[in-house]
């Protein structure tokens, strides 16, 4: 029994299946699949928000962190949209406005889920989601060309 192959995650999140040969790995064992062919294995990712709500999606193990972030930009999950509305924050429109934290480290955009970040194809992998604050243009000193002044991780009142 294969582990959720082709269940929306591959086509939906663009996970290059070109180097996987159908029928390879004849046993269908999830552990063997995870260790052998990163292009076919799926990683379940649980996205934990600061308000303790979470949502879950499936991605190819070979997907890059930047591709996962792009999928959130392109297909906003209701849980994240709702959370950002409660804290009066705009939804991110660019990948660099989203950060993932796992086991105390920020995940690099250029790393793959399984090999670069150490995600398991057998377990649910939890990451904390951080969205960089994009301040509302309300006259609080937003400069025209200052990208650093337009992004903040916290607000001091």
């Amino acid at each position: 029994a294969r582990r959720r192959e082709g269940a929306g995650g591959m086509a939906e999140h663009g996970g290059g299946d070109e180097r996987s040969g159908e029928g390879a790995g004849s046993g269908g064992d999830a552990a063997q699949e995870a260790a052998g062919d990163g292009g076919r294995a799926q990683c379940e990712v649980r996205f934990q928000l600061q308000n303790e709500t979470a949502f879950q999606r499936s991605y190819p193990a070979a997907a890059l962190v930047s591709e996962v972030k792009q999928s959130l930009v392109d297909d906003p999950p209701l849980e994240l949209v709702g959370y950002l509305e409660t804290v009066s924050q705009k939804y991110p429109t660019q990948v660099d406005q989203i950060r993932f934290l796992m086991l105390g480290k920020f995940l690099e955009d250029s790393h793959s889920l399984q090999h670069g970040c150490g995600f398991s194809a057998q377990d649910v992998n939890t990451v904390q989601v951080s969205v960089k604050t994009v301040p509302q243009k309300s006259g609080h000193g937003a400069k025209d060309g200052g990208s650093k002044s337009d992004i903040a991780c916290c607000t001091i009142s």
Side-chain angles (χ1 to χ4, degrees), residues 112-123:
S112 70
L113 296 181
Q114 189 173 36
H115 297 292
C117 300
F119 279 36
S120 169
Q122 301 160 355
D123 300 314

Side-chain angles (χ1 to χ4, degrees), residues 68-131:
V68 174
K69 290 179 180 182
Q70 187 64 52
S71 78
L72 297 183
V73 169
D74 294 343
D75 183 19
L78 295 177
E79 297 85 352
L80 184 54
V81 171
Y83 166 70
L84 292 174
E85 286 175 357
T86 63
V87 295
S88 301
Q89 190 171 339
K90 289 184 179 181
Y91 195 82
T93 57
Q94 299 174 13
V95 169
D96 66 351
Q97 294 172 324
I98 302 172
R99 296 183 4 166
F100 297 148
L101 183 70
M102 182 175 173
L103 301 174
K105 295 183 180 180
F106 285 106
L107 303 183
E108 297 290 329
D109 286 348
S110 60
H111 289 171
S112 70
L113 296 181
Q114 189 173 36
H115 297 292
C117 300
F119 279 36
S120 169
Q122 301 160 355
D123 300 314
V124 175
N125 304 276
T126 300
V127 297
Q128 281 73 41
V129 179
S130 172
V131 176

Side-chain angles (χ1 to χ4, degrees), residues 11-12 18 24 26 37 51 57 62 68 73 79 89 104-105 107-108 111 145-146 148-149 152 155:
E12 193 174 287
E18 53 223 34
S26 59
D37 189 300
N51 65 354
R57 290 190 177 176
V68 174
V73 169
E79 297 85 352
Q89 190 171 339
K105 295 183 180 180
L107 303 183
E108 297 290 329
H111 289 171
K148 291 209 182 232
S149 66
T155 304

